[in-house]
Amino acid sequence: MSHAIEGADARSAPVRASATGPLAHLAQWVMLTSGWRRLLIAVLAGAAGALAMPPFGALPALVLSLSVAVWLIDGAATGRRGNRGAVLACALIGWAWGFGYLTAGLWWLGSAFLVEADEFLWALPLGVIGLPAVLALFYAAGFALARLLWSRGPARLAAFALGLSACEWLRGHLFTGFPWNTLGMALGQNLWLMQSASVIGLYGLTLLAVLIASAPATLATGETVRGRYAPALAACLALAALALFGTVRLPASPSATVAGVRLRLVQPNLNQDAKFRPENRADIIDRYIELSDRAAAPNRTGIADVTHVIWPESAFPFLIQRDPASLARIAAAFPAGRQLITGAARAEEPLPNERPRFFNSILTISAGPKLGDLYDKVHLVPFGEYLPGPLDAVLRAVGVRQFVSIPGGFTPGARSGQRLLDVPGLPPVAATICYEAIFPGEILPTRAPGGPPPVPGLILNLTNDAWFGDTPGPRQHFAQARLRAVEEGLPLVRDANTGISAVVDPYGRITASLPVGVEGILDADLPVRLPGRTLYAGLGDWPFAGMFAGLGLMALLAKRRGT
């Protein structure tokens, strides 16, 4: 490959495989591909990157994936159509890479379409292929941004990390957001490496993950010995520094626990089948009560041995608040002083000329029965719990509804009312339902104007992953919720219908858990929150913004110098 190519940006075009050996030959072959071969390589590279996500955690797969992506941009940067053509070519490469990454990482979404196959099977391709195709547009924008800042030397890795971390942040925020399998989870699932999330959060980890995993690309393309080896060495040192920080931050002893609190998490392993119907309410309530009162050991007696019993999201296929008989049966099973925390749909009486409003909620119930504080889910799942506003009337007109069979879909709780859940005997609870736990920075309640910051004692996450069976989906969901505990310095109590149910301390250490697909109970103490607030809990994504700005400056200076 020549040092100057007609029609290309002279400051960014002449990247070449200047090293020798098999890796250099591979890089040169990748850079010289074009047309459908180039796009196929991008798709396959993206798919390989998905192996770095939970439950596989193969970080070398992301190294291969992102190194190939860098070489693809290198090759596109040397095109004959000028800078605009190169940017468009990189956008197409980014779309193909993102499509491969998301399809390989989210294929399990298809399981939800098979639960009620007679009604939703037709839409399976939309979820398994259509959603990745749309979300891949974020990666198209990220690769295009990287190409605009591309340069000859190692600094182009800064441009690459800038583009990908920007697209991941946007994917997590725009159009209600969907930050599932954000690239930072490649680091955020390892106990030592995840500790840095307490400072820089998921998006800071994303920026570092891209820098570290793409650095080996220069082993085949560096024009000098320093240019070849320095980025890879820096990446190894950065990975070692993250691990060292984690080692220093993690205490040797287990976390202290809250005195007087003993939790029982109930994992009923109820499938979303014909048995989970309103007409079977008596059997469903009996199953919950039997599990809740099951003796965990010969010297145990059940509910009497714990202070709080927790049931998962959507525990009932009916409105428990409007069923006095079922409430009475629950109350009879719970002696005085014991609290039940459960997920449940609830309804509010409509105003005149309005339809009833339904909420996906967390309810607290004590003996009596007495209904206590509640929380309404704020961040609903598009197409799962509601149909997006502009599409609602159109889709309903042709007979399409959301997965959850609620007339009109769920109504989101008031964002201003997102607050701590008050449960007798527990510290203040930061409540989340289902995939609300995947959104970094949205765990804590909104701070009242002029008021002190909220001080919860734990994160509670109730979920129902039965829709996705025994696939990577429930494991990815748990890994992301676990990272929230590290970011916020709070213990996580997670109860899932089919698993994974777990208690996690504020360092991300799992103190007790039940696997996917198992019926059972989990008795555990509640770990104490960390004193004070983590840097991330106090500053949110501002540390990431500082890192982003620094990389942007580095990439701009390198492009101006043509290095």
Side-chain angles (χ1 to χ4, degrees):
M1 296 176 65
S2 65
H3 278 271
I5 296 180
E6 181 183 355
D9 185 338
R11 293 174 296 179
S12 58
V15 178
R16 62 176 186 168
S18 55
T20 59
L23 187 63
H25 291 307
L26 174 63
Q28 181 164 328
W29 176 76
V30 170
M31 284 189 279
L32 290 175
T33 56
S34 60
W36 66 267
R37 292 180 179 84
R38 172 191 283 172
L39 297 181
L40 178 60
I41 291 171
V43 170
L44 294 176
L51 292 174
M53 296 296 109
F56 311 107
L59 186 59
L62 190 65
V63 172
L64 173 64
S65 177
L66 295 186
S67 295
V68 170
V70 169
W71 296 335
L72 287 169
I73 298 177
D74 285 340
T78 61
R80 295 179 177 271
R81 293 177 294 168
N83 193 51
R84 179 178 296 180
V87 171
L88 292 175
C90 287
L92 191 55
I93 291 169
W95 182 89
W97 187 95
F99 179 73
Y101 174 70
L102 294 169
T103 302
L106 299 176
W107 63 265
W108 48 266
L109 286 171
S111 302
F113 297 87
L114 301 178
V115 173
E116 298 180 71
D118 58 330
E119 187 168 356
F120 292 110
L121 183 60
W122 66 271
L124 189 149
L126 297 179
V128 176
I129 298 176
L131 180 64
V134 172
L135 293 177
L137 293 173
F138 287 105
Y139 295 93
F143 275 56
L145 174 60
R147 174 57 186 84
L148 288 170
L149 297 171
W150 212 245
S151 55
R152 290 176 49 180
R156 71 191 193 279
L157 301 180
F160 188 54
L162 196 78
L164 275 189
S165 59
C167 88
E168 290 287 59
W169 190 92
L170 291 172
R171 181 165 73 92
H173 289 81
L174 294 184
F175 312 114
T176 79
F178 189 65
W180 200 285
N181 278 1
T182 301
L183 289 169
M185 285 304 302
L187 304 178
Q189 59 192 297
N190 177 278
L191 184 60
W192 290 348
L193 301 180
M194 70 169 60
Q195 299 306 312
S196 294
S198 64
V199 178
I200 58 178
L202 173 62
Y203 296 111
L205 287 181
T206 295
L207 191 150
L208 292 179
V210 177
L211 280 175
I212 291 169
S214 63
T218 64
L219 293 174
T221 58
E223 295 182 343
T224 64
V225 172
R226 180 178 179 182
R228 281 196 292 272
Y229 294 105
L233 177 60
C236 291
L237 292 175
L239 201 60
L242 290 174
L244 179 61
F245 177 81
T247 303
V248 172
R249 186 173 188 267
L250 282 169
S253 58
S255 293
T257 57
V258 178
V261 174
R262 184 68 174 171
L263 306 173
R264 168 162 289 189
L265 282 62
V266 175
Q267 184 170 297
N269 199 35
L270 286 167
N271 293 321
Q272 303 297 117
D273 56 17
K275 295 179 182 178
F276 197 67
R277 303 290 189 195
E279 58 268 24
N280 298 319
R281 67 186 66 198
D283 292 338
I284 292 168
I285 292 292
D286 285 345
R287 184 167 181 175
Y288 277 111
I289 291 176
E290 186 277 323
L291 280 169
S292 300
D293 204 33
R294 181 179 293 180
N299 60 341
R300 296 286 182 175
T301 59
I303 294 177
D305 295 317
V306 300
T307 58
H308 299 80
V309 177
I310 304 173
W311 295 350
E313 176 195 16
S314 306
F316 321 104
F318 56 93
L319 298 174
I320 187 71
Q321 287 180 301
R322 295 183 176 181
D323 192 327
S326 295
L327 279 174
R329 296 179 68 187
I330 292 172
F334 280 75
R338 304 302 186 269
Q339 289 284 325
L340 171 64
I341 306 170
T342 182
R346 74 176 191 90
E348 282 188 353
E349 293 300 327
L351 296 173
N353 301 319
E354 289 187 0
R355 65 173 178 83
R357 296 198 301 164
F358 296 91
F359 299 88
N360 188 355
S361 303
I362 296 176
L363 307 179
T364 57
I365 305 173
S366 57
K370 180 180 178 183
L371 295 175
D373 202 7
L374 60 85
Y375 166 76
D376 295 325
K377 186 177 181 181
V378 173
H379 209 139
L380 300 177
V381 181
F383 300 100
E385 295 174 311
Y386 75 102
L387 297 177
L391 299 175
D392 188 18
V394 175
L395 293 175
R396 292 192 188 283
V398 296
V400 176
R401 66 168 175 86
Q402 69 283 344
F403 279 102
V404 180
S405 186
I406 293 287
F410 282 120
T411 298
R415 190 167 294 274
S416 60
Q418 190 175 8
R419 54 178 168 71
L420 300 181
L421 187 66
D422 181 17
V423 182
L426 287 182
V429 176
T432 64
I433 299 176
C434 191
Y435 96 143
E436 285 185 313
I438 74 171
F439 291 90
E442 294 190 17
I443 295 297
L444 298 187
T446 305
R447 179 175 181 172
V455 186
L458 71 148
I459 302 169
L460 175 67
N461 181 225
L462 303 189
T463 189
N464 179 14
D465 290 342
W467 297 93
F468 308 113
D470 190 1
T471 67
R475 295 165 175 86
Q476 293 171 4
H477 196 183
F478 171 65
Q480 293 169 100
R482 180 187 176 197
L483 189 61
R484 302 291 86 78
V486 179
E487 288 174 341
E488 304 292 349
L490 298 172
L492 168 71
V493 176
R494 185 176 194 266
D495 192 59
N497 175 15
T498 55
I500 299 170
S501 298
V503 175
V504 178
D505 80 0
Y507 296 100
R509 296 179 295 188
I510 301 170
T511 64
S513 67
L514 286 172
V516 174
V518 172
E519 174 190 289
I521 54 174
L522 188 66
D523 290 351
D525 295 325
L526 175 64
V528 173
R529 62 160 292 147
L530 296 185
R533 309 181 77 192
T534 65
L535 190 64
Y536 180 78
L539 298 179
D541 285 332
W542 283 109
F544 161 68
M547 298 166 64
F548 187 86
L551 275 188
L553 181 61
M554 182 187 304
L556 282 171
L557 290 176
K559 184 167 180 67
R560 285 178 62 89
R561 294 173 184 152
T563 59

